[in-house]
Amino acid sequence: MLKLSRRSLVGVSAVAPIAVLAALVPGNAAVASGGHHAVSRDAHGVFHGRPILTPLGRAKPAAAAPNLAAGKPSPWQPLKHAPPFIPGSMLLASDGRVLVHVEPPAGGTSRWYKLTPDSKGSYANGTWSKLPSMPSNYNPLYFASAILPDGRMIVEGGEYLGGTPTWTSKGAIYNPVTNTWRSVAPPDGWANIGDASSEVLANGTFMLSQACQDCTSPNGVLSTADALFNATGLNWTNLAGQGKNDPNDEEGWSLLPSGQILTVDTWLTPTTEVFTPSPSLIWSFAGNTVTSPINSPEVETGPQVVMPGGNTFVVGAGTSSDIPPKPCTTRRTAPTALYNYAAGRWARGPAIPTIGGLQYDSADGPASILPDGNVLFDVSPCVFQTPLAFFLYNAGSRTLSPVPNIPNAANDSTFYTRMLALPNGQILFNDGSQHMLVYTAGGTPNPAWAPSITGISSFSFTPGQSGNLSGTQLAGLSQGAAYGDDVQSNTNFPLVRITNRQSGAVTYARTSNWTSVSIAPGAASSTKFTIPTGTPAGPSTLVVVANGIASQPVPVTIR
């Protein structure tokens, strides 16, 4: 097997006294005893430590994988056409296609493919085609990414270039209309970006974090900086990370219905924070978790999924420090956490049960909202070990239930798996192999969660023509899928799906100019959409889809 790179921390003693940590936190933030990491803050307020290194390669396959829901029908379906490459990060484009980065075990590449659903809207039966490669010498792995309101895809940073730890400051933006890439310069003064967190704010502005500024030295400078992107001028406004308790490195971000960004502190457990975009541009204390979902020994986090209603489920990253090739020996259960944004309070979530007596958790891993409001996630033993298992978080009862396993589970660990919420309600899953699958959930969405169309510019369109529509909840009430910290694949934006009444043929019209991606209930917004060439003529229906939930149909005619 390829040996995994041990995540290393350098800076201060690993047994830093709690008094030192308390001094790092503003007066309104309390630190519970027991939370400590190898990070220090100098007299100038600068954090020092070694940034965390995400492993390359694959862990040794397990002899077998658990199937905790044996006897139940499998919800998994393989793609009819396996990808002709090793898939990694996945994003949903505003025309309904899936954009997939090529990520073999040896490291990142500059290559991308797209998956186009078939004429009935099936992704399982979809076909693959190549995209142009990224700009020269930009072949990242573990980077920030998003689909912008104009429909372009932005990629920023990268912990690796190829297989070399770099924490690069490179970036690029892909235009689906011209089918071209263009380089993006980093924010002024940023020497490194790395495996950054990012978010598209409710108003459509892309926000990027900086993991560290001097990432490759033994006593590197960890960063609290962030920046806002000007999508027109391809430049940045630097923010100072004002109020930020601890470094950004290894933290995940979630957009709340309030428009704030939630993060769980990875270096100062069990504290959490929210960023308020307007008018303050300031981070502030969001309370302590009851049981920390952060793996403190290894500074790892699991995915944060915001559910309809605004509460956030955070999958625990465990408590173990057993990393390959050391065997997993930890036997206690891993905690999860729940955040009630309206009350501003944290609660204990259901513990992830041990399997075979060993701890299973999501030390870097994916999860996704399902149309019925529950959350699908995977777990593996200790830190970066194999094999894989799946659970559902049942939002109504706040319980976990097992999900039938996948055929390749014995080879898998959470950190090289990915999920993406598809517009047909399925979840696209990959495990860094050519065995890509779609997951079909049971249950139905609450009708109150659906987007609603309140106005449309016309009821008759010609292929190539553009139109506009307005409505409420066009971005949905969740962000779709999430990942520990290295991957962002949000789908809280409007898709326009047209179905021919006679043939049932499905076409996605590319959307752009979204006025909001807010996930607040009843949020009003609008979008432009363009009917693609080849859309079948005749009476049809048009719906807006967000995170797999469709609006009521509007009758239209394609001329």
Side-chain angles (χ1 to χ4, degrees):
M1 75 171 193
L2 290 172
K3 186 176 180 181
L4 299 177
S5 303
R6 177 69 183 253
R7 293 179 169 234
S8 60
L9 298 173
V10 179
V12 298
S13 167
V15 239
I18 200 66
V20 172
L21 294 172
L24 305 186
V25 185
N28 65 340
V31 176
S33 86
H36 59 267
H37 300 299
V39 62
S40 63
R41 193 173 185 176
D42 64 22
H44 303 288
V46 177
F47 289 98
H48 292 273
R50 186 70 183 267
I52 299 302
L53 186 68
T54 306
L56 288 175
R58 300 289 185 262
K60 182 179 179 181
N67 195 352
L68 307 179
K72 293 185 178 180
S74 175
W76 300 100
Q77 177 186 358
L79 299 192
K80 181 179 179 180
H81 303 290
F85 61 94
I86 301 301
S89 295
M90 306 183 292
L91 289 91
L92 182 65
S94 71
D95 62 0
R97 293 181 173 92
V98 177
L99 310 180
V100 185
H101 187 227
V102 181
E103 296 176 7
T109 74
S110 61
R111 292 178 290 137
W112 290 77
Y113 279 74
K114 63 181 176 182
L115 175 64
T116 301
D118 73 4
S119 62
K120 300 298 183 182
S122 169
Y123 289 86
N125 296 329
T127 54
W128 294 99
S129 55
K130 283 185 178 179
L131 292 179
S133 292
M134 302 174 79
S136 177
N137 299 319
Y138 188 32
N139 51 349
L141 179 67
Y142 308 134
F143 47 79
S145 59
I147 303 297
L148 302 178
D150 59 15
R152 291 180 294 174
M153 175 175 67
I154 189 168
V155 175
E156 283 294 319
E159 185 174 329
Y160 292 84
L161 288 181
T164 303
T166 309
W167 287 277
T168 182
S169 63
K170 293 178 182 286
I173 194 165
Y174 171 70
N175 188 327
V177 177
T178 61
N179 197 30
T180 57
W181 287 91
R182 180 176 176 181
S183 294
V184 175
D188 289 344
W190 285 26
N192 297 108
I193 295 175
D195 55 334
S197 301
S198 70
E199 188 63 82
V200 178
L201 302 177
N203 67 1
T205 301
F206 177 74
M207 180 174 170
L208 177 69
S209 79
Q210 184 187 38
C212 49
Q213 172 67 350
D214 178 14
C215 302
T216 55
S217 71
N219 190 30
V221 176
L222 299 177
S223 178
T224 60
D226 33 51
L228 301 178
F229 184 59
N230 178 341
T232 302
L234 302 188
N235 52 23
W236 302 87
T237 298
N238 280 334
L239 304 179
Q242 187 175 355
K244 191 73 172 63
N245 278 347
D246 72 339
N248 295 320
D249 188 40
E250 295 298 305
E251 293 185 349
W253 286 358
S254 298
L255 179 67
L256 299 177
S258 61
Q260 296 172 305
I261 294 174
L262 172 70
T263 192
V264 181
D265 291 341
T266 52
W267 296 90
L268 287 175
T269 59
T271 65
T272 69
E273 301 175 79
V274 289
F275 173 80
T276 303
S278 179
S280 65
L281 300 174
I282 289 175
W283 290 92
S284 58
F285 181 58
N288 290 335
T289 58
V290 177
T291 51
S292 176
I294 302 298
N295 184 316
S296 291
E298 300 303 327
V299 197
E300 288 296 343
T301 184
Q304 304 175 177
V305 178
V306 180
M307 301 171 289
N311 295 335
T312 303
F313 175 61
V314 185
V315 185
T319 60
S320 175
S321 60
D322 294 337
I323 297 176
K326 182 180 179 181
C328 177
T329 60
T330 307
R331 297 188 175 275
R332 52 189 177 275
T333 58
T336 68
L338 296 165
Y339 181 66
N340 183 320
Y341 93 97
R345 288 199 301 267
W346 286 91
R348 189 190 309 269
I352 301 168
T354 59
I355 302 174
L358 297 177
Q359 181 174 100
Y360 273 62
D361 56 68
S362 183
D364 264 348
S368 183
I369 196 72
L370 302 178
D372 62 5
N374 297 327
V375 178
L376 173 71
F377 66 97
D378 61 20
V379 292
S380 57
C382 292
V383 186
F384 311 139
Q385 308 266 10
T386 61
L388 207 64
F390 290 84
F391 286 93
L392 274 184
Y393 171 68
N394 304 290
S397 60
R398 295 190 175 185
T399 59
L400 301 182
S401 56
V403 172
N405 220 330
I406 63 173
N408 206 35
N411 300 315
D412 290 342
S413 182
T414 54
F415 83 90
Y416 44 87
T417 62
R418 309 283 189 269
M419 294 183 188
L420 180 71
L422 295 172
N424 63 0
Q426 294 178 314
I427 306 302
L428 184 62
F429 174 84
N430 87 65
D431 61 356
S433 78
Q434 293 174 293
H435 301 282
M436 284 187 78
L437 305 164
V438 291
Y439 174 91
T440 302
T444 56
N446 184 329
W449 300 343
S452 178
I453 300 172
T454 57
I456 189 167
S457 58
S458 176
F459 296 98
S460 180
F461 297 95
T462 301
Q465 181 183 356
S466 294
N468 294 281
L469 63 79
S470 57
T472 58
Q473 294 179 190
L474 299 186
L477 299 179
S478 173
Q479 290 194 280
Y483 186 88
D485 72 297
D486 305 301
V487 178
Q488 297 100 48
S489 51
N490 299 336
T491 52
N492 56 310
F493 52 80
L495 295 174
V496 170
R497 185 169 65 211
I498 298 167
T499 305
N500 185 277
R501 288 185 181 178
Q502 182 175 2
S503 66
V506 171
T507 306
Y508 285 93
R510 184 178 61 86
T511 61
S512 59
N513 297 3
W514 319 324
T515 58
S516 173
V517 295
S518 171
I519 60 170
S525 62
S526 63
T527 185
K528 177 182 176 181
F529 61 94
T530 302
I531 309 296
T533 58
T535 302
S540 304
T541 58
L542 181 150
V543 297
V544 170
V545 185
N547 303 311
I549 303 177
S551 69
Q552 288 296 309
V554 172
V556 296
T557 299
I558 305 299
R559 300 190 297 270

